[in-house]
Coordinates of all heavy atoms in Angstrom, one line a residue:
M1 N 88.2 -47.9 33.6 CA 87.5 -46.7 33.6 C 86.0 -46.9 34.0 O 85.4 -46.1 34.6 CB 87.5 -46.0 32.2 CG 88.9 -45.3 32.0 SD 89.1 -43.8 32.9 CE 89.4 -42.7 31.5
S2 N 85.5 -48.1 33.5 CA 84.1 -48.4 33.9 C 83.9 -48.5 35.4 O 82.9 -48.2 35.9 CB 83.6 -49.6 33.1 OG 84.3 -50.7 33.5
K3 N 84.9 -49.1 36.0 CA 84.9 -49.3 37.5 C 84.8 -47.9 38.1 O 84.2 -47.7 39.2 CB 86.0 -50.1 38.0 CG 85.9 -51.5 37.7 CD 87.1 -52.3 38.3 CE 87.0 -53.8 38.0 NZ 88.1 -54.5 38.6
F4 N 85.5 -46.9 37.6 CA 85.6 -45.6 38.1 C 84.2 -45.0 38.1 O 83.7 -44.4 39.1 CB 86.5 -44.7 37.3 CG 86.6 -43.3 37.9 CD1 87.2 -43.0 39.1 CD2 86.0 -42.2 37.2 CE1 87.2 -41.7 39.6 CE2 86.1 -40.9 37.7 CZ 86.7 -40.7 38.9
G5 N 83.4 -45.2 37.0 CA 82.0 -44.7 36.9 C 81.2 -45.3 38.1 O 80.4 -44.6 38.7
E6 N 81.4 -46.6 38.4 CA 80.7 -47.2 39.4 C 81.0 -46.6 40.8 O 80.2 -46.5 41.7 CB 80.9 -48.7 39.4 CG 80.4 -49.5 38.2 CD 80.8 -50.9 38.1 OE1 81.3 -51.5 39.2 OE2 80.8 -51.4 37.0
L7 N 82.3 -46.3 41.0 CA 82.8 -45.7 42.2 C 82.1 -44.4 42.5 O 81.7 -44.1 43.7 CB 84.3 -45.5 42.2 CG 85.2 -46.7 42.3 CD1 86.6 -46.2 42.3 CD2 85.0 -47.4 43.6
I8 N 82.0 -43.5 41.5 CA 81.5 -42.2 41.7 C 80.0 -42.0 41.6 O 79.4 -41.0 41.9 CB 82.2 -41.2 40.8 CG1 82.0 -41.4 39.4 CG2 83.7 -41.2 41.2 CD1 82.5 -40.4 38.4
E9 N 79.3 -43.0 41.0 CA 77.8 -42.9 40.8 C 77.1 -43.4 42.1 O 76.3 -44.3 42.1 CB 77.4 -43.8 39.6 CG 77.6 -43.1 38.3 CD 76.7 -41.9 38.0 OE1 75.6 -41.8 38.7 OE2 77.1 -41.1 37.2
T10 N 77.4 -42.7 43.2 CA 76.7 -43.1 44.5 C 76.0 -41.9 45.1 O 76.3 -40.7 44.8 CB 77.8 -43.6 45.5 OG1 78.7 -42.5 45.7 CG2 78.5 -44.8 44.9
R11 N 75.1 -42.2 45.9 CA 74.3 -41.2 46.6 C 75.1 -40.5 47.7 O 74.9 -39.4 48.1 CB 73.0 -41.7 47.2 CG 72.0 -42.1 46.1 CD 70.8 -42.8 46.7 NE 69.9 -43.2 45.7 CZ 68.7 -42.7 45.5 NH1 68.3 -41.8 46.4 NH2 67.9 -43.0 44.5
V12 N 76.1 -41.3 48.3 CA 77.0 -40.7 49.3 C 78.2 -40.1 48.7 O 78.6 -40.6 47.6 CB 77.4 -41.8 50.4 CG1 76.2 -42.3 51.1 CG2 78.2 -42.9 49.7
P13 N 78.7 -39.1 49.3 CA 79.9 -38.4 48.7 C 81.1 -39.4 48.7 O 81.2 -40.2 49.6 CB 80.2 -37.3 49.6 CG 79.0 -37.1 50.5 CD 78.3 -38.4 50.5
V14 N 81.9 -39.3 47.7 CA 83.1 -40.1 47.6 C 84.3 -39.2 47.5 O 84.4 -38.3 46.7 CB 83.1 -41.0 46.3 CG1 84.4 -41.8 46.2 CG2 81.9 -41.9 46.3
L15 N 85.2 -39.3 48.5 CA 86.5 -38.6 48.5 C 87.6 -39.4 47.9 O 87.9 -40.5 48.4 CB 86.9 -38.2 50.0 CG 88.2 -37.6 50.2 CD1 88.3 -36.2 49.5 CD2 88.5 -37.4 51.7
L16 N 88.1 -39.0 46.8 CA 89.1 -39.7 46.1 C 90.5 -39.1 46.4 O 90.6 -37.9 46.4 CB 88.9 -39.7 44.6 CG 87.6 -40.3 44.1 CD1 87.5 -40.0 42.6 CD2 87.5 -41.7 44.4
D17 N 91.5 -39.9 46.7 CA 92.8 -39.5 46.9 C 93.7 -40.1 45.9 O 93.9 -41.3 45.9 CB 93.3 -39.9 48.3 CG 94.8 -39.8 48.5 OD1 95.3 -38.7 48.0 OD2 95.4 -40.6 49.2
F18 N 94.2 -39.3 44.9 CA 95.1 -39.8 43.9 C 96.5 -39.6 44.5 O 96.9 -38.5 44.8 CB 95.0 -39.0 42.6 CG 93.7 -39.3 41.9 CD1 92.5 -38.8 42.2 CD2 93.8 -40.3 40.9 CE1 91.4 -39.1 41.5 CE2 92.6 -40.7 40.2 CZ 91.4 -40.1 40.5
Y19 N 97.2 -40.7 44.6 CA 98.5 -40.7 45.3 C 99.6 -41.5 44.6 O 99.2 -42.3 43.7 CB 98.4 -41.2 46.8 CG 98.2 -42.7 46.8 CD1 99.3 -43.5 47.2 CD2 97.0 -43.3 46.5 CE1 99.2 -44.9 47.2 CE2 96.8 -44.7 46.6 CZ 97.9 -45.5 46.9 OH 97.8 -46.8 46.9
A20 N 100.8 -41.4 45.1 CA 101.9 -42.3 44.6 C 102.7 -42.7 45.9 O 102.9 -41.9 46.8 CB 102.8 -41.6 43.6
E21 N 103.1 -44.0 45.9 CA 103.8 -44.5 47.0 C 105.1 -43.8 47.3 O 105.5 -43.7 48.4 CB 104.1 -46.0 46.8 CG 102.9 -46.9 46.9 CD 102.3 -47.0 48.3 OE1 102.9 -46.7 49.3 OE2 101.1 -47.3 48.3
W22 N 105.8 -43.3 46.3 CA 107.1 -42.6 46.4 C 107.0 -41.2 46.9 O 108.0 -40.6 47.1 CB 107.8 -42.7 45.1 CG 107.0 -42.3 43.9 CD1 106.4 -43.2 43.0 CD2 106.7 -41.0 43.4 NE1 105.7 -42.5 42.1 CE2 105.9 -41.1 42.3 CE3 107.1 -39.7 43.9 CZ2 105.4 -40.0 41.6 CZ3 106.6 -38.6 43.1 CH2 105.8 -38.8 42.0
D23 N 105.8 -40.6 46.9 CA 105.6 -39.2 47.2 C 105.4 -39.0 48.7 O 104.5 -39.5 49.3 CB 104.4 -38.6 46.5 CG 104.2 -37.2 46.6 OD1 104.9 -36.4 45.9 OD2 103.5 -36.7 47.5
D24 N 106.3 -38.2 49.3 CA 106.3 -37.9 50.8 C 105.0 -37.3 51.2 O 104.4 -37.6 52.3 CB 107.5 -37.1 51.2 CG 108.8 -37.9 51.2 OD1 108.7 -39.1 51.2 OD2 109.8 -37.2 51.0
A25 N 104.5 -36.3 50.5 CA 103.2 -35.6 50.8 C 102.1 -36.6 50.9 O 101.2 -36.5 51.7 CB 103.0 -34.4 49.9
C26 N 102.1 -37.5 49.9 CA 101.0 -38.5 49.9 C 101.1 -39.4 51.1 O 100.1 -39.8 51.7 CB 101.2 -39.4 48.6 SG 100.8 -38.5 47.1
K27 N 102.3 -39.8 51.5 CA 102.5 -40.6 52.7 C 102.0 -39.9 53.9 O 101.4 -40.6 54.8 CB 104.0 -41.0 52.9 CG 104.5 -42.0 51.8 CD 106.0 -42.2 52.1 CE 106.6 -43.0 50.9 NZ 108.0 -43.1 51.0
E28 N 102.2 -38.6 54.0 CA 101.7 -37.9 55.1 C 100.2 -37.8 55.2 O 99.6 -37.6 56.2 CB 102.3 -36.5 55.1 CG 103.8 -36.5 55.4 CD 104.4 -35.1 55.3 OE1 103.7 -34.1 55.4 OE2 105.6 -35.0 55.1
M29 N 99.5 -38.0 54.0 CA 98.1 -37.9 53.9 C 97.4 -39.2 54.4 O 96.2 -39.2 54.7 CB 97.6 -37.6 52.5 CG 97.8 -36.2 52.1 SD 96.9 -35.0 53.1 CE 95.2 -35.5 52.8
H30 N 98.2 -40.3 54.4 CA 97.5 -41.6 54.8 C 96.8 -41.6 56.1 O 95.7 -41.9 56.2 CB 98.6 -42.8 54.7 CG 99.1 -43.1 53.4 ND1 98.3 -43.2 52.2 CD2 100.3 -43.4 52.9 CE1 99.0 -43.5 51.2 NE2 100.2 -43.7 51.6
P31 N 97.5 -41.2 57.2 CA 96.8 -41.1 58.5 C 95.7 -40.1 58.5 O 94.6 -40.3 59.2 CB 97.9 -40.8 59.5 CG 99.0 -40.3 58.7 CD 98.9 -40.8 57.3
V32 N 95.8 -39.0 57.8 CA 94.8 -38.0 57.7 C 93.5 -38.6 57.1 O 92.4 -38.5 57.6 CB 95.2 -36.8 56.9 CG1 94.1 -35.8 56.7 CG2 96.4 -36.1 57.6
L33 N 93.7 -39.3 56.0 CA 92.5 -40.0 55.3 C 91.9 -41.1 56.2 O 90.7 -41.2 56.1 CB 93.0 -40.5 53.9 CG 93.3 -39.4 53.0 CD1 94.1 -39.9 51.8 CD2 92.1 -38.7 52.5
R34 N 92.7 -41.8 56.9 CA 92.2 -42.8 57.9 C 91.3 -42.1 58.9 O 90.2 -42.6 59.2 CB 93.3 -43.5 58.6 CG 93.5 -44.9 58.1 CD 94.4 -45.8 59.0 NE 95.6 -45.1 59.5 CZ 96.7 -45.1 59.0 NH1 96.9 -45.7 57.8 NH2 97.8 -44.5 59.5
D35 N 91.7 -41.0 59.4 CA 90.9 -40.2 60.4 C 89.6 -39.7 59.7 O 88.6 -39.8 60.4 CB 91.7 -39.0 60.9 CG 92.9 -39.5 61.8 OD1 93.0 -40.6 62.2 OD2 93.7 -38.6 62.1
V36 N 89.7 -39.2 58.5 CA 88.5 -38.7 57.8 C 87.5 -39.9 57.6 O 86.3 -39.7 57.9 CB 88.9 -38.1 56.4 CG1 87.7 -37.8 55.6 CG2 89.7 -36.8 56.6
A37 N 88.0 -41.0 57.1 CA 87.1 -42.2 56.9 C 86.5 -42.6 58.2 O 85.3 -42.9 58.2 CB 87.9 -43.3 56.3
A38 N 87.2 -42.6 59.3 CA 86.7 -43.0 60.6 C 85.6 -42.0 61.1 O 84.6 -42.4 61.6 CB 87.8 -43.1 61.6
A39 N 85.9 -40.7 60.9 CA 85.0 -39.7 61.4 C 83.7 -39.7 60.5 O 82.6 -39.5 61.1 CB 85.6 -38.3 61.3
L40 N 83.8 -40.0 59.2 CA 82.6 -39.9 58.4 C 81.8 -41.2 58.4 O 80.6 -41.2 58.2 CB 83.0 -39.6 56.9 CG 83.6 -38.2 56.7 CD1 84.2 -38.1 55.3 CD2 82.5 -37.2 56.9
G41 N 82.4 -42.3 58.7 CA 81.7 -43.6 58.8 C 81.0 -43.9 57.5 O 81.5 -43.9 56.4
D42 N 79.7 -44.2 57.6 CA 78.9 -44.6 56.5 C 78.3 -43.5 55.7 O 77.7 -43.6 54.7 CB 77.6 -45.5 57.0 CG 78.1 -46.8 57.5 OD1 79.2 -47.3 57.2 OD2 77.3 -47.4 58.3
K43 N 78.6 -42.2 56.1 CA 78.1 -41.0 55.5 C 78.8 -40.8 54.1 O 78.3 -40.0 53.3 CB 78.2 -39.8 56.4 CG 77.2 -39.9 57.6 CD 77.2 -38.5 58.3 CE 78.5 -38.1 58.8 NZ 78.4 -36.8 59.6
A44 N 80.0 -41.3 54.0 CA 80.8 -41.1 52.8 C 81.8 -42.2 52.6 O 82.0 -43.0 53.5 CB 81.5 -39.7 52.9
R45 N 82.4 -42.2 51.4 CA 83.5 -43.2 51.2 C 84.8 -42.5 50.9 O 84.8 -41.4 50.3 CB 83.1 -44.1 50.0 CG 81.9 -44.9 50.2 CD 81.5 -45.7 49.0 NE 82.5 -46.7 48.6 CZ 82.5 -47.2 47.4 NH1 81.6 -47.0 46.5 NH2 83.5 -48.1 47.2
V46 N 85.9 -43.1 51.4 CA 87.2 -42.5 51.1 C 87.9 -43.6 50.3 O 88.1 -44.7 50.7 CB 88.0 -42.2 52.4 CG1 89.4 -41.7 52.0 CG2 87.2 -41.2 53.2
I47 N 88.4 -43.2 49.1 CA 89.0 -44.2 48.2 C 90.4 -43.7 47.7 O 90.5 -42.5 47.2 CB 88.1 -44.5 46.9 CG1 86.8 -45.1 47.4 CG2 88.8 -45.4 46.0 CD1 85.8 -45.2 46.3
K48 N 91.4 -44.5 47.9 CA 92.7 -44.1 47.5 C 93.0 -44.7 46.1 O 92.7 -45.9 45.9 CB 93.7 -44.6 48.5 CG 93.5 -43.9 49.9 CD 94.3 -44.6 51.0 CE 95.8 -44.6 50.8 NZ 96.4 -43.3 50.7
I49 N 93.5 -43.9 45.2 CA 93.8 -44.4 43.8 C 95.3 -44.2 43.5 O 95.8 -43.0 43.5 CB 92.9 -43.7 42.8 CG1 91.5 -44.1 43.1 CG2 93.3 -44.2 41.4 CD1 90.5 -43.3 42.2
D50 N 96.1 -45.2 43.3 CA 97.5 -45.1 43.0 C 97.7 -44.7 41.6 O 97.2 -45.4 40.7 CB 98.1 -46.5 43.3 CG 99.7 -46.5 43.1 OD1 100.2 -45.6 42.4 OD2 100.3 -47.4 43.7
V51 N 98.3 -43.6 41.4 CA 98.4 -43.0 40.0 C 99.3 -43.9 39.1 O 99.2 -44.0 37.9 CB 98.9 -41.6 39.9 CG1 97.8 -40.6 40.5 CG2 100.2 -41.4 40.6
E52 N 100.3 -44.6 39.8 CA 101.2 -45.5 39.0 C 100.4 -46.7 38.5 O 100.7 -47.2 37.4 CB 102.3 -46.0 39.9 CG 103.2 -44.9 40.4 CD 104.0 -44.3 39.3 OE1 104.5 -45.0 38.4 OE2 104.2 -43.0 39.4
K53 N 99.4 -47.2 39.2 CA 98.6 -48.3 38.7 C 97.4 -47.9 37.9 O 96.8 -48.8 37.3 CB 98.2 -49.2 39.9 CG 99.3 -49.8 40.7 CD 98.8 -50.5 41.9 CE 100.0 -51.1 42.7 NZ 99.6 -51.5 44.0
N54 N 97.1 -46.7 37.9 CA 95.9 -46.1 37.2 C 96.3 -44.9 36.3 O 95.6 -43.9 36.4 CB 94.8 -45.8 38.2 CG 94.3 -47.0 39.0 OD1 93.5 -47.8 38.5 ND2 94.9 -47.1 40.2
K55 N 97.3 -45.1 35.5 CA 97.8 -44.0 34.7 C 96.8 -43.4 33.8 O 96.7 -42.2 33.6 CB 99.1 -44.4 34.0 CG 100.3 -44.6 34.9 CD 101.5 -45.0 34.1 CE 102.7 -45.1 35.1 NZ 103.9 -45.6 34.5
E56 N 96.0 -44.3 33.2 CA 95.0 -43.9 32.2 C 93.9 -43.0 32.9 O 93.6 -41.9 32.3 CB 94.3 -45.1 31.6 CG 93.5 -44.8 30.4 CD 92.9 -46.1 29.8 OE1 93.7 -47.0 29.5 OE2 91.7 -46.1 29.5
L57 N 93.5 -43.4 34.0 CA 92.5 -42.6 34.8 C 93.1 -41.3 35.2 O 92.5 -40.2 35.1 CB 92.0 -43.4 36.0 CG 91.0 -42.7 36.9 CD1 89.7 -42.3 36.1 CD2 90.7 -43.5 38.1
A58 N 94.3 -41.3 35.8 CA 95.0 -40.1 36.2 C 95.1 -39.1 35.1 O 94.9 -37.9 35.2 CB 96.3 -40.4 36.9
E59 N 95.5 -39.6 33.9 CA 95.7 -38.7 32.7 C 94.3 -38.2 32.3 O 94.2 -37.0 32.0 CB 96.3 -39.5 31.6 CG 97.8 -39.7 31.8 CD 98.4 -40.5 30.7 OE1 97.8 -40.7 29.6 OE2 99.5 -41.1 31.0
A60 N 93.3 -39.0 32.3 CA 91.9 -38.6 31.9 C 91.4 -37.5 32.8 O 90.7 -36.5 32.3 CB 91.0 -39.7 31.9
L61 N 91.8 -37.5 34.1 CA 91.3 -36.5 35.0 C 92.3 -35.4 35.2 O 92.2 -34.5 36.1 CB 91.0 -37.2 36.4 CG 89.8 -38.1 36.4 CD1 89.7 -38.9 37.7 CD2 88.5 -37.4 36.1
R62 N 93.4 -35.4 34.4 CA 94.4 -34.4 34.4 C 95.0 -34.2 35.8 O 95.2 -33.1 36.3 CB 93.9 -33.1 33.9 CG 93.5 -33.1 32.4 CD 93.1 -31.8 31.9 NE 92.8 -31.8 30.5 CZ 91.5 -31.9 30.1 NH1 90.5 -31.9 30.9 NH2 91.2 -31.9 28.8
V63 N 95.3 -35.3 36.4 CA 96.0 -35.3 37.8 C 97.5 -34.9 37.5 O 98.2 -35.7 36.9 CB 95.8 -36.6 38.5 CG1 96.7 -36.6 39.8 CG2 94.4 -36.9 38.8
K64 N 97.9 -33.8 38.0 CA 99.3 -33.4 37.8 C 100.0 -33.4 39.1 O 101.1 -34.0 39.3 CB 99.4 -32.0 37.2 CG 98.6 -31.8 35.9 CD 99.4 -32.4 34.7 CE 98.8 -32.1 33.4 NZ 98.5 -33.2 32.6
G65 N 99.5 -32.7 40.1 CA 100.2 -32.6 41.4 C 99.7 -33.7 42.3 O 98.6 -34.2 42.1
L66 N 100.5 -34.1 43.3 CA 100.1 -35.1 44.2 C 100.3 -34.6 45.6 O 101.2 -33.8 45.9 CB 101.0 -36.4 44.0 CG 100.9 -37.1 42.7 CD1 101.9 -38.2 42.6 CD2 99.5 -37.7 42.5
P67 N 99.4 -35.0 46.5 CA 98.2 -35.7 46.3 C 97.2 -34.8 45.6 O 97.2 -33.6 45.9 CB 97.8 -36.2 47.7 CG 98.3 -35.1 48.6 CD 99.6 -34.7 48.0
T68 N 96.3 -35.4 44.8 CA 95.1 -34.7 44.3 C 93.9 -35.3 44.9 O 93.7 -36.5 44.9 CB 95.0 -34.7 42.8 OG1 96.1 -34.0 42.2 CG2 93.7 -34.1 42.3
L69 N 93.1 -34.5 45.6 CA 91.9 -34.9 46.2 C 90.6 -34.4 45.5 O 90.6 -33.3 45.0 CB 91.8 -34.4 47.7 CG 93.1 -34.8 48.5 CD1 93.3 -33.9 49.7 CD2 92.9 -36.3 49.0
M70 N 89.6 -35.3 45.4 CA 88.4 -34.9 44.7 C 87.2 -35.4 45.5 O 87.3 -36.5 46.1 CB 88.3 -35.5 43.3 CG 89.4 -35.1 42.4 SD 89.3 -36.0 40.8 CE 90.9 -35.7 40.1
I71 N 86.1 -34.7 45.4 CA 84.9 -35.2 46.0 C 83.9 -35.3 44.9 O 83.6 -34.4 44.1 CB 84.3 -34.2 47.1 CG1 85.3 -34.1 48.3 CG2 83.0 -34.7 47.6 CD1 85.0 -33.1 49.3
Y72 N 83.3 -36.5 44.8 CA 82.2 -36.8 43.8 C 80.9 -37.1 44.5 O 81.0 -37.7 45.6 CB 82.6 -37.9 42.9 CG 83.5 -37.6 41.7 CD1 84.9 -37.6 41.9 CD2 82.9 -37.4 40.5 CE1 85.7 -37.3 40.8 CE2 83.7 -37.1 39.4 CZ 85.1 -37.0 39.5 OH 85.9 -36.7 38.5
K73 N 79.8 -36.8 43.9 CA 78.5 -37.2 44.4 C 77.6 -37.4 43.2 O 77.6 -36.5 42.4 CB 77.9 -36.3 45.4 CG 76.6 -36.8 46.0 CD 76.1 -36.0 47.2 CE 74.8 -36.7 47.7 NZ 74.3 -35.9 48.8
N74 N 76.9 -38.5 43.1 CA 76.0 -38.8 42.0 C 76.8 -38.6 40.6 O 76.2 -38.1 39.7 CB 74.8 -37.9 42.0 CG 73.9 -38.2 43.2 OD1 73.8 -39.3 43.7 ND2 73.4 -37.1 43.8
G75 N 78.0 -39.0 40.6 CA 78.8 -39.0 39.4 C 79.3 -37.6 39.0 O 80.0 -37.5 37.9
E76 N 79.1 -36.6 39.8 CA 79.5 -35.3 39.5 C 80.6 -34.8 40.4 O 80.5 -34.9 41.6 CB 78.3 -34.3 39.6 CG 78.6 -32.9 39.2 CD 77.3 -32.1 39.4 OE1 76.2 -32.6 39.2 OE2 77.5 -30.9 39.6
M77 N 81.7 -34.2 39.9 CA 82.8 -33.7 40.7 C 82.3 -32.4 41.4 O 81.8 -31.5 40.8 CB 84.0 -33.3 39.9 CG 85.2 -32.9 40.7 SD 86.6 -32.3 39.8 CE 87.0 -33.7 38.8
K78 N 82.4 -32.4 42.7 CA 81.9 -31.3 43.5 C 83.1 -30.4 44.0 O 82.9 -29.2 44.2 CB 81.1 -31.8 44.7 CG 79.9 -32.6 44.4 CD 78.9 -31.8 43.8 CE 77.6 -32.6 43.6 NZ 76.5 -31.8 42.9
W79 N 84.2 -31.0 44.2 CA 85.4 -30.3 44.7 C 86.7 -31.0 44.3 O 86.7 -32.2 44.1 CB 85.3 -30.2 46.2 CG 86.4 -29.6 46.9 CD1 86.6 -28.3 47.2 CD2 87.6 -30.2 47.5 NE1 87.8 -28.1 47.9 CE2 88.4 -29.3 48.1 CE3 88.0 -31.6 47.6 CZ2 89.6 -29.5 48.7 CZ3 89.2 -31.9 48.2 CH2 90.0 -30.9 48.8
R80 N 87.7 -30.2 44.1 CA 89.0 -30.8 43.7 C 90.1 -29.8 44.1 O 90.0 -28.6 44.0 CB 89.1 -30.9 42.2 CG 90.4 -31.4 41.7 CD 90.4 -31.5 40.2 NE 91.8 -31.8 39.7 CZ 92.0 -32.6 38.7 NH1 91.0 -33.1 38.0 NH2 93.3 -32.8 38.3
Q81 N 91.2 -30.4 44.7 CA 92.4 -29.6 45.0 C 93.6 -30.5 45.1 O 93.5 -31.7 45.6 CB 92.1 -28.9 46.4 CG 93.2 -27.9 46.7 CD 92.8 -26.9 47.7 OE1 91.6 -26.7 47.9 NE2 93.7 -26.4 48.5
S82 N 94.7 -30.0 44.7 CA 96.0 -30.7 44.9 C 96.7 -30.2 46.1 O 96.6 -29.0 46.5 CB 96.9 -30.5 43.6 OG 96.3 -31.1 42.5
G83 N 97.5 -31.1 46.7 CA 98.2 -30.7 47.9 C 97.6 -31.3 49.2 O 96.5 -31.8 49.2
E84 N 98.4 -31.2 50.2 CA 97.9 -31.7 51.5 C 96.8 -30.9 52.1 O 96.7 -29.7 52.0 CB 99.1 -31.8 52.5 CG 100.2 -32.7 52.1 CD 101.4 -32.6 53.0 OE1 101.2 -33.0 54.2 OE2 102.5 -32.1 52.6
Q85 N 95.9 -31.6 52.8 CA 94.8 -31.0 53.5 C 94.7 -31.6 54.9 O 95.1 -32.8 55.1 CB 93.4 -31.3 52.8 CG 93.4 -30.8 51.4 CD 93.3 -29.3 51.3 OE1 92.6 -28.7 52.0 NE2 94.0 -28.7 50.3
D86 N 94.2 -30.9 55.9 CA 94.0 -31.5 57.2 C 92.7 -32.2 57.3 O 91.8 -31.9 56.5 CB 94.2 -30.4 58.3 CG 93.1 -29.4 58.3 OD1 92.1 -29.6 58.9 OD2 93.3 -28.3 57.6
A87 N 92.6 -33.1 58.3 CA 91.4 -33.9 58.4 C 90.1 -33.1 58.6 O 89.1 -33.3 58.0 CB 91.6 -34.9 59.6
N88 N 90.2 -32.0 59.5 CA 89.0 -31.2 59.8 C 88.5 -30.5 58.5 O 87.3 -30.5 58.3 CB 89.3 -30.2 60.9 CG 89.4 -30.9 62.2 OD1 88.9 -32.0 62.4 ND2 90.2 -30.3 63.1
T89 N 89.4 -30.0 57.7 CA 89.0 -29.4 56.4 C 88.3 -30.4 55.5 O 87.2 -30.1 55.0 CB 90.2 -28.8 55.7 OG1 90.8 -27.8 56.5 CG2 89.8 -28.2 54.4
L90 N 88.8 -31.6 55.4 CA 88.2 -32.6 54.5 C 86.9 -33.1 55.0 O 86.0 -33.2 54.3 CB 89.2 -33.8 54.3 CG 90.5 -33.5 53.5 CD1 91.4 -34.6 53.5 CD2 90.1 -33.1 52.1
I91 N 86.8 -33.3 56.3 CA 85.5 -33.7 56.9 C 84.5 -32.6 56.7 O 83.3 -33.0 56.3 CB 85.7 -34.0 58.4 CG1 86.6 -35.2 58.6 CG2 84.4 -34.2 59.1 CD1 87.1 -35.4 60.0
G92 N 84.8 -31.4 56.9 CA 83.9 -30.3 56.6 C 83.4 -30.2 55.2 O 82.2 -30.1 54.9
L93 N 84.4 -30.4 54.3 CA 84.0 -30.4 52.8 C 83.1 -31.5 52.4 O 82.1 -31.3 51.8 CB 85.3 -30.4 52.0 CG 86.1 -29.2 51.9 CD1 87.5 -29.4 51.4 CD2 85.5 -28.1 51.0
V94 N 83.4 -32.7 52.9 CA 82.6 -33.9 52.6 C 81.2 -33.7 53.2 O 80.2 -34.0 52.5 CB 83.3 -35.2 53.0 CG1 82.3 -36.3 52.8 CG2 84.6 -35.4 52.2
N95 N 81.1 -33.2 54.4 CA 79.8 -33.0 55.1 C 78.9 -32.1 54.3 O 77.7 -32.2 54.5 CB 80.0 -32.6 56.5 CG 80.2 -33.8 57.4 OD1 79.7 -34.9 57.2 ND2 81.0 -33.6 58.5
E96 N 79.5 -31.2 53.5 CA 78.6 -30.3 52.7 C 77.8 -31.0 51.7 O 76.8 -30.5 51.2 CB 79.5 -29.2 52.0 CG 80.2 -28.2 52.9 CD 81.0 -27.2 52.1 OE1 80.8 -27.0 50.9 OE2 82.0 -26.7 52.7
Y97 N 78.3 -32.2 51.3 CA 77.6 -33.0 50.3 C 76.9 -34.2 50.8 O 76.3 -35.0 50.0 CB 78.6 -33.4 49.2 CG 79.3 -32.2 48.6 CD1 80.6 -31.9 48.9 CD2 78.6 -31.3 47.8 CE1 81.2 -30.7 48.5 CE2 79.2 -30.1 47.3 CZ 80.5 -29.9 47.6 OH 81.1 -28.7 47.2
V98 N 76.8 -34.4 52.1 CA 76.1 -35.6 52.7 C 74.6 -35.4 52.5 O 74.1 -34.3 52.6 CB 76.5 -35.7 54.2 CG1 75.7 -36.8 54.8 CG2 78.0 -36.1 54.3

């Protein structure tokens, strides 16, 4: 959990993707998130968090549906949604907090 605090306490927005390897919707998000990361470059970070390996964190954040996406900046959650999103939507959302 302390590492999570370090991840989100940044001046640049952080897009978190809570996923599971066995979930088809999560698998479909992998290339989308790659595109988002490439488009944003150094303006933001994209971090994938496997809920199977981080159960305590997923429970603490009440992650129920997969994938669950969150945007944090300066340690504060700015946006959250479960389900698939397209790259342009995510890029637009993250750019609001750059």
Side-chain angles (χ1 to χ4, degrees):
M1 288 284 239
S2 62
K3 286 185 180 178
F4 180 71
E6 292 170 22
L7 285 178
I8 63 171
E9 280 292 338
T10 61
R11 291 173 182 247
V12 297
V14 180
L15 173 62
L16 300 175
D17 169 36
F18 286 84
Y19 75 100
E21 289 295 336
W22 47 262
D23 186 83
D24 289 336
C26 292
K27 288 177 188 170
E28 290 175 23
M29 285 299 296
H30 290 320
V32 172
L33 291 164
R34 253 195 317 271
D35 293 347
V36 170
L40 293 169
D42 292 338
K43 292 191 298 184
R45 295 176 64 196
V46 177
I47 299 171
K48 296 167 63 58
I49 298 175
D50 186 336
V51 295
E52 296 293 323
K53 294 177 182 166
N54 298 280
K55 288 182 179 175
E56 192 177 311
L57 177 61
E59 285 175 18
L61 293 172
R62 295 187 179 97
V63 173
K64 303 280 187 238
L66 295 174
T68 292
L69 301 157
M70 300 177 194
I71 298 172
Y72 277 86
K73 184 171 182 180
N74 297 322
E76 184 181 329
M77 185 187 300
K78 302 292 187 179
W79 176 85
R80 173 183 177 145
Q81 190 161 332
S82 293
E84 296 175 66
Q85 301 289 318
D86 65 86
N88 289 333
T89 300
L90 290 172
I91 291 165
L93 285 163
V94 173
N95 275 326
E96 289 179 28
Y97 304 107
V98 172

